């Protein structure tokens, strides 16, 4: 039996839960991290010495790093579906998973923490503006890539769409002006047609730290 560890409002846990549900896997889910605690224990540290979620357990096999888990689940259960069969398409999917971590995640999470995870009277408008410019610079590249495409690397959902699609929900639900990225919007609409996306990614996070905390505590 697979076990997925990590609170479901984490943008790193969401891609793992979304992948598992797209693949129709059965798993046990443990809500740890954030206000749920449970990651600062010897047992958790033995699974992930970084003390971060998500973690996947499959019998005596343990894996951390969200994109590594997404890749592993797709290789194990999604050959020809979430994992492209063709080596070049697989390489492009890998390219976008790495781009998600190295290029989009930093500015996007910076924007998120400087707005939603910060009380309004503590917010720094200059730093928010900087984070927004950096996020939208990366998103402009994503928007150009999506021109004429339904999904990131194929005409169907693959692992390349999953971590990026998770951050796109964050972008559109932070209270800032949003640039008119037409191709991203069309792709985001296609993602929202998927039950596994609605279930695992479209989780309200509020507009302030207090709302975030309250919503987190209401999760089950
Ligand atoms: N590179 C790691 C980052 C993991 C990470 O930073 N997880 C955050 C949640 S998004 C975490 O565990 N924070 C501590 C907590 O939730 O208590 C991954 O992609 O899995």
């Amino acid at each position: 039996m697979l076990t997925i560890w990590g609170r479901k409002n984490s943008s790193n846990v969401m891609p793992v839960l979304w992948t598992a549900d797209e693949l129709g896997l059965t798993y046990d889910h443990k809500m740890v991290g954030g206000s749920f605690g449970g990651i600062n224990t010897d047992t958790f540290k033995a699974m992930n010495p970084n003390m971060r979620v998500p973690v996947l357990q499959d019998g005596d096999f343990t894996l951390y790093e969200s994109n590594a888990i997404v890749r592993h689940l797709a290789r194990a259960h999604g050959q020809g579906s979430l994992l492209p069969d063709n080596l070049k398409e697989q390489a492009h999917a890998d390219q976008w998973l790495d781009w998600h971590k190295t290029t989009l995640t930093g500015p996007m999470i910076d924007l998120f923490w400087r707005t939603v995870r910060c009380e309004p009277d503590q917010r720094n408008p200059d730093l928010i503006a900087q984070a927004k410019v950096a996020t939208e610079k990366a998103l402009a590249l994503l928007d150009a890539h999506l021109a004429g495409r339904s999904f990131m690397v194929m005409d169907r959902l693959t692992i390349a769409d999953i971590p990026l699609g998770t951050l796109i929900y964050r972008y559109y639900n932070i209270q800032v002006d949003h640039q008119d990225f037409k191709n991203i919007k069309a792709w985001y609409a296609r993602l929202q047609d998927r039950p596994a996306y609605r279930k695992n990614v479209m989780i309200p996070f509020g507009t302030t730290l207090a709302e975030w905390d309250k919503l987190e505590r209401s999760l089950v």
Side-chain angles (χ1 to χ4, degrees), residues 6-7 9-13 16 32-37 39 44 48 50-55 64-69 100-101 105 109 113 117 170 216:
R7 56 187 169 83
N9 60 346
S10 149
S11 61
N12 289 307
V13 175
V16 172
V32 293
S35 56
F36 301 98
I39 60 173
F44 192 87
N48 184 356
N50 299 291
M51 293 186 282
R52 290 283 179 271
V53 291
V55 172
Y64 55 82
E65 285 302 328
S66 54
N67 285 359
I69 300 173
H100 155 266
K101 276 291 175 206
T105 296
I109 296 303
W113 276 80
R117 307 268 329 239
R170 289 263 153 119
E216 179 172 277

Side-chain angles (χ1 to χ4, degrees), residues 122-147:
Q122 304 288 314
R123 291 180 191 168
N124 181 323
D126 293 338
L127 294 178
I128 292 173
Q130 269 176 34
K132 185 170 175 304
V133 166
T135 299
E136 289 177 340
K137 184 174 171 210
L139 290 180
L141 191 149
L142 185 67
D143 192 59
H145 171 76
L146 282 165

Side-chain angles (χ1 to χ4, degrees), residues 137-210:
K137 184 174 171 210
L139 290 180
L141 191 149
L142 185 67
D143 192 59
H145 171 76
L146 282 165
R149 295 172 197 269
S150 304
F151 292 96
M152 288 300 295
V153 299
M154 297 188 71
D155 58 4
R156 58 177 165 75
L157 187 90
T158 68
I159 49 173
D161 298 280
I162 289 184
L164 288 171
T166 301
L167 289 187
I168 282 306
Y169 175 77
R170 289 263 153 119
Y171 174 68
Y172 281 118
N173 288 279
I174 294 175
Q175 307 285 298
V176 291
D177 293 335
H178 298 103
Q179 269 190 33
D180 189 21
F181 293 121
K182 289 196 171 47
N183 304 310
I184 292 180
K185 272 195 201 153
W187 169 69
Y188 178 46
R190 281 188 280 279
L191 299 179
Q192 291 177 64
D193 285 340
R194 309 186 76 85
Y197 185 78
R198 294 199 297 275
K199 174 186 163 201
N200 295 300
V201 179
M202 300 182 72
I203 297 179
F205 49 73
T207 59
T208 62
L209 183 55

